[in-house]
Amino acid sequence: MIPAILLAVSNAALPPVLVQGRAEGLAATVITAEPLLQERPVADWLAGAPGVFAAERGNYAQDTQLSIRGFGARSSFGVRGLRVYVDGIPATMPDGSGSLSHVPLASLESIELLRGPFSALYGSNSGGVLVFSTRSANGHEPLRLSVQTGSFGERLLRVQSGHRLGDAGLRVDASTWQQTGWRPQAAAERQLLDLRLDQQGLRLSFNALRQSGDDPQGLSRAQWDAKPFSTAPPALAFNTRKTTDQWQLGAGWSGGNAWAGQRQVRQWQSIPAAVQAPASHPGGVIELARNFAGLDLRTHRMLGTATAVLGLAVEGQWDERKGFENFIGSQLGLTGALRRAERNRALGLDLYAQLRQPLSAATSLQAGLRGSRLQMRSQDHFTGNGDDSGSRSFATLSPMLGISHRVGSGWSLYASAGSAHETPTLNELAYRSDGSSGFNTSLQAQQSRQIEIGVRGNGLELSAFSARSRDEIIALGSVGGRARFGNAEGIRRSGAELSWQQSINAAWDLQLALTALHARLSDGTVLPGAPAQQAFAALGWQVDGWRAQARLQAQSKLWADARNAAPGFGLLHLALQREGHNPAGPWQLRLALDNLFDKRHAASVIVAEANGRFLEPGAPRRWQLGFSQSFL
């Protein structure tokens, strides 16, 4: 680990098994935990990862905006087009929708990031893969109390501990957090409990989340120019907000993973009462109750000198979705009359195989194949305004091939190619592309073909890629509060990524990351939601219990649609940490100053926002002060 910088990124040769593990000779990056990341948002963990765009939008009703090489950029809330795992449990549902809000960042050991063709080995909807791994439960972690305060009403209390239960180890991480936010109608609070038990190769986990967040929504360019930290009147009038309750159980062993859980969401939107007048309108309040479960089994075999992985994955989600009016009489922002009731399900069955064959002492070949079948069904139980039931079935086959070759001392070359697929989510199938009610039977799965080449060694990685998509799923805006999606004829993505880290001397370290993305629709317009250029630099220092780092983060213009874009920006962040020891045990004191020069900027955009309120303001200058005490 590189202790003095915010991110420790490893590009060294990794073990060969890819599925639920790491990949050698591919565009794979490992981000290891570092003390200066304590209590920082996930966007900070990913800031120095090449090819990744992660925006802390200050809106906890909508989650972090996340894309990899432009895949997932269309999402206005949650995660789309990417596969996310936490200790082997998918945070991506079978239909391709996902969330990051339950990730126990303070207990992480590493994040593995996979870009490029071999991402498809994790299944459909895998334009990139993020694997979050928490520390193993050895039972010997001391009791640790952490508190944090900061700008905009931020408060945090966390308790972590380890316990021995016979020959098993248990790790506990419990926290409560809140903020008022840097805009009106942006308050949020979260309670998170994460438990992990390890015993002789078996891992059991339990995670429970309760989160509520007001939704300040976006601003038009005129509103942002006049008052960059204001909130649009509809958000205030309707008290837009969202609550989430989720729990999940998981088990992992050398031959696979199993999981089950529930998620409940209620969201109040700002759709005007008059717009909800038609009998077919679903209302302005969403209520979702979801059950999900899955099983992923795999076996490792030696076939002569080759290493093979064969696997079977079965997963499902079962949703009960209701819609209500968001008013009662003249009172806005309440839960009114029922306007929608349906049961949805998505069932997936996947078979996959991976082979790694050494061709010589320095060269190895990797091949993979994944077949997926996804069945999606919506059953309308509110048929007084017509029956909007429907079903879709998608079958995909994704092959991939790669080769790596070691040259010199610590250097390797690699190349890979493959195809991938992305199916629409249940939410994207909810309405027809013209905005009318009814299950969307015309929206197709997108297909892409990718190639990449790269070189890595001695702390440096340079990669170049090209991807062509057919029937790319794009946001078409909304009609009467209904989000519409369609297929584009094709999108071409190409780009280059560079990451480099170097120890200057015993006290100083430097890290750089550059990303260039050229993504265009068939008509020449820019793919919205992903910046064309990103740059990251971190200078770290460590000596005698002191740690410090300066981090520079910059990005180019960010398009929301063909006409509207957020301007580019550059920000400087500073962090300082002091470590010591008292009679109780070790302690840490942390101070962070974000956006040191108070640069006005839009952290993210809402893609295809129909009302022109597409800008989401980033935080002004802010501070955080945290203290942690361990008790031995």
Side-chain angles (χ1 to χ4, degrees):
M1 184 170 69
I2 299 178
I5 61 176
L6 182 64
L7 294 173
V9 180
S10 172
N11 295 316
L14 303 173
V17 175
L18 171 62
V19 179
Q20 301 294 343
R22 301 175 178 179
E24 182 186 54
L26 303 171
T29 300
V30 181
I31 304 168
T32 56
E34 207 285 328
L36 284 174
L37 283 170
Q38 288 289 326
E39 316 304 348
R40 301 295 296 178
V42 67
D44 283 358
W45 284 75
L46 299 173
V52 177
F53 173 64
E56 186 197 358
R57 63 207 326 182
N59 184 344
Y60 286 85
Q62 305 297 347
D63 214 337
T64 301
Q65 191 174 48
L66 179 66
S67 63
I68 298 176
R69 293 182 174 176
F71 291 99
R74 72 179 184 274
S75 177
S76 60
F77 66 93
V79 178
R80 301 287 185 274
L82 309 173
R83 298 291 291 185
V84 180
Y85 293 83
V86 183
D87 281 341
I89 302 175
T92 303
M93 294 293 104
D95 73 338
S97 60
S99 174
L100 299 173
S101 53
H102 68 292
V103 178
L105 296 172
S107 292
L108 285 188
E109 181 176 68
S110 67
I111 304 174
E112 299 173 26
L113 164 66
L114 181 64
R115 314 178 299 281
F118 270 78
S119 299
L121 198 55
Y122 281 81
S124 60
N125 305 293
S126 54
V129 180
L130 286 171
V131 180
F132 294 86
S133 300
T134 64
R135 297 188 302 275
S136 61
N138 57 28
H140 300 299
E141 287 193 24
L143 174 65
R144 178 185 173 95
L145 299 179
S146 300
V147 294
Q148 184 167 287
T149 186
S151 303
F152 313 113
E154 183 179 18
R155 302 289 185 272
L156 178 138
L157 173 64
R158 183 181 303 278
V159 178
Q160 296 170 289
S161 63
H163 308 272
R164 292 298 300 177
L165 302 177
D167 60 349
L170 174 68
R171 178 182 50 72
V172 179
D173 183 348
S175 64
T176 179
W177 169 91
Q178 66 180 29
Q179 71 162 22
T180 56
W182 53 85
R183 300 171 60 196
Q185 196 66 21
E189 62 180 40
R190 177 176 61 238
Q191 292 81 44
L192 182 64
L193 173 65
D194 189 74
L195 307 177
R196 172 169 169 168
L197 186 144
D198 287 84
Q199 182 183 34
Q200 298 178 355
L202 175 66
R203 181 190 68 250
L204 301 176
S205 62
F206 175 78
N207 181 284
L209 167 74
R210 170 164 290 180
Q211 180 170 290
S212 62
D214 293 340
D215 185 355
Q217 301 187 335
L219 296 176
S220 68
R221 182 58 189 261
Q223 291 169 329
W224 187 68
D225 287 338
K227 294 183 178 181
F229 303 112
S230 61
T231 295
L236 300 173
F238 284 89
N239 187 22
T240 49
R241 61 202 186 275
K242 179 180 178 181
T243 63
T244 302
D245 289 276
Q246 175 177 299
W247 66 263
Q248 61 185 34
L249 286 166
W253 60 98
S254 61
N257 295 279
W259 62 91
Q262 292 183 342
R263 181 178 177 89
Q264 294 183 325
V265 176
R266 178 169 283 188
Q267 183 175 8
W268 290 260
Q269 301 172 303
S270 61
I271 300 172
V275 174
Q276 302 173 53
S280 61
H281 200 280
V285 177
I286 299 170
E287 187 177 280
L288 174 69
R290 169 176 294 165
N291 293 295
F292 58 92
L295 179 66
D296 188 342
L297 300 175
R298 56 190 172 273
T299 182
H300 302 249
R301 291 287 184 268
M302 293 299 299
L303 303 177
T305 59
T307 303
V309 180
L310 301 175
L312 166 70
V314 182
E315 57 182 347
Q317 69 182 83
W318 299 265
D319 298 352
E320 290 193 15
R321 182 182 291 267
K322 294 181 179 180
F324 302 86
E325 294 174 346
N326 58 0
F327 61 92
I328 299 177
S330 61
Q331 293 182 287
L332 306 179
L334 304 178
T335 302
L338 180 68
R339 300 295 297 273
R340 177 184 185 182
E342 62 191 40
R343 290 185 177 180
N344 304 324
R345 73 183 186 194
L347 303 176
L349 173 64
D350 288 43
L351 296 172
Y352 59 87
Q354 183 189 7
L355 181 73
R356 181 176 184 269
Q357 174 65 63
L359 301 179
S360 68
T363 305
S364 63
L365 182 72
Q366 296 196 58
L369 181 67
R370 184 155 186 147
S372 302
R373 184 171 180 83
L374 178 65
Q375 293 182 333
M376 307 171 79
R377 179 174 177 82
S378 178
Q379 183 65 48
D380 192 353
H381 292 272
F382 189 81
T383 57
N385 58 0
D387 190 345
D388 293 331
S389 301
S391 63
R392 298 293 303 275
S393 181
F394 300 95
T396 61
L397 187 65
S398 300
M400 58 221 74
L401 183 67
I403 189 169
S404 62
H405 178 71
R406 293 192 301 273
V407 292
S409 57
W411 289 90
S412 64
L413 306 173
Y414 62 88
S416 61
S419 66
H421 300 78
E422 182 176 341
T423 57
T425 67
L426 283 167
N427 186 69
E428 292 167 343
L429 292 170
Y431 306 111
R432 296 190 173 101
S433 298
D434 61 3
S436 61
S437 61
F439 202 69
N440 193 331
T441 57
S442 64
L443 190 61
Q444 301 299 314
Q446 76 178 47
Q447 305 173 49
S448 64
R449 295 181 178 180
Q450 304 181 53
I451 58 173
E452 71 174 356
I453 58 173
V455 57
R456 66 158 59 95
N458 297 329
L460 181 139
E461 179 180 8
L462 176 63
S463 61
F465 65 91
S466 176
R468 294 188 178 186
S469 298
R470 186 178 67 187
D471 292 327
E472 180 100 10
I473 301 171
I474 60 172
L476 299 176
S478 62
V479 174
R482 296 169 171 161
R484 302 178 300 130
F485 296 87
N487 295 110
E489 290 185 9
I491 289 182
R492 294 187 177 186
R493 295 174 173 88
S494 60
E497 299 155 354
L498 181 145
S499 63
W500 179 69
Q501 60 184 38
Q502 184 66 49
S503 295
I504 301 173
N505 55 37
W508 293 90
D509 293 276
L510 178 65
Q511 181 191 345
L512 299 174
L514 301 173
T515 298
L517 173 67
H518 184 274
R520 295 289 188 274
L521 280 70
S522 57
D523 61 4
T525 57
V526 177
L527 175 71
Q533 292 93 30
Q534 295 183 83
F536 172 90
L539 179 64
W541 170 81
Q542 175 187 351
V543 63
D544 297 332
W546 288 92
R547 299 171 185 261
Q549 63 96 230
R551 178 165 57 99
L552 177 64
Q553 191 173 352
Q555 70 181 52
S556 62
K557 182 184 296 186
L558 183 61
W559 290 91
D561 52 44
R563 300 182 305 276
N564 298 302
F569 61 84
L571 304 177
L572 179 64
H573 313 298
L574 301 178
L576 179 67
Q577 178 173 291
R578 173 61 172 164
E579 300 174 348
H581 200 284
N582 57 29
W587 56 267
Q588 294 177 340
L589 180 66
R590 300 179 300 277
L591 174 65
L593 295 173
D594 294 338
N595 193 2
L596 182 65
F597 296 114
D598 201 22
K599 177 74 171 180
R600 184 174 71 173
H601 66 289
S604 64
V605 297
I606 304 171
V607 174
E609 211 287 328
N611 299 301
R613 298 193 297 266
F614 63 94
L615 289 164
E616 294 189 292
R621 183 190 298 117
R622 59 176 175 168
W623 59 271
Q624 289 178 324
L625 181 64
F627 178 76
S628 299
Q629 174 71 61
S630 296
F631 299 87
L632 300 179

